Amino acid sequence: MGSRKKQMADAIKEAKKHVAFAKLNNCPTSPRKMRLVADLVRGEKVEHALNILKFNQKEASGRLEKLLLSAIANWQSKNEEANIEEAELVVKEIKVDSGSMLKRLRPAPQGRAHRIRKRSNHVTIVVGANNNTQS
């Protein structure tokens, strides 16, 4: 039982070696605005995705560019012997989830108050080597 468990753990570890991720928590941008930019880079090659994010006008693109560079650095630290250009890294997965909300009150007419919800989000980027071109 112990040897099979170790073999399975080694197989999972080897599979995870080709994938790296980075997370951005409590980013003060609404998830809807962040998803507009995230949809542009999902499934793209890393070089192309960096160019898209660099020249995009939206504020969220700057944060995603920094996060993507972090994911690339994480992949490089896992695979020190590999070359980034030869690996052809791809943005495999990018998830934007809603984070905590700051609730504020804004005065409204006739003594009422409207609630303002300041939204935040969590972003996860998964970067991996493109295995389709190697086979």
Side-chain angles (χ1 to χ4, degrees), residues 13 15-21 72-82 127:
K13 187 176 180 183
K16 285 186 177 182
K17 188 173 184 180
H18 304 293
V19 179
F21 70 95
I72 294 168
N74 291 343
W75 186 89
Q76 181 119 28
S77 67
K78 273 187 176 180
N79 304 295
E80 293 175 352
E81 70 281 350
V127 172

Side-chain angles (χ1 to χ4, degrees), residues 71-105:
I72 294 168
N74 291 343
W75 186 89
Q76 181 119 28
S77 67
K78 273 187 176 180
N79 304 295
E80 293 175 352
E81 70 281 350
N83 192 359
I84 291 180
E85 288 81 22
E86 294 172 3
E88 294 186 13
L89 292 180
V90 174
V91 179
K92 291 196 173 217
E93 185 181 337
I94 181 164
K95 288 192 311 187
V96 180
D97 301 322
S98 63
S100 59
M101 248 186 284
L102 292 175
K103 293 177 179 162
R104 301 287 183 255
L105 293 176

Side-chain angles (χ1 to χ4, degrees), residues 19 38 50 53 56-57 61 71-72 118 125:
V19 179
L50 283 172
L53 293 174
N56 196 344
Q57 295 290 320
S61 63
I72 294 168
K118 298 189 175 195
I125 290 185

Side-chain angles (χ1 to χ4, degrees), residues 3 14 26 34 39 59 98 114 128:
S3 63
E14 189 62 33
N26 294 322
M34 188 66 83
D39 291 341
E59 181 187 350
S98 63
H114 291 314

Side-chain angles (χ1 to χ4, degrees), residues 27-94:
C27 179
T29 309
S30 74
R32 188 174 182 179
K33 292 177 185 175
M34 188 66 83
R35 279 188 198 106
L36 288 173
V37 180
D39 291 341
L40 295 174
V41 297
R42 185 175 286 120
E44 295 285 340
K45 290 187 177 179
V46 166
E47 297 87 11
H48 190 240
L50 283 172
N51 285 334
I52 289 172
L53 293 174
K54 185 173 185 177
F55 295 109
N56 196 344
Q57 295 290 320
K58 298 198 176 283
E59 181 187 350
S61 63
R63 294 185 172 128
L64 275 183
E65 180 184 7
K66 191 173 178 182
L67 185 65
L68 183 57
L69 288 172
S70 176
I72 294 168
N74 291 343
W75 186 89
Q76 181 119 28
S77 67
K78 273 187 176 180
N79 304 295
E80 293 175 352
E81 70 281 350
N83 192 359
I84 291 180
E85 288 81 22
E86 294 172 3
E88 294 186 13
L89 292 180
V90 174
V91 179
K92 291 196 173 217
E93 185 181 337
I94 181 164

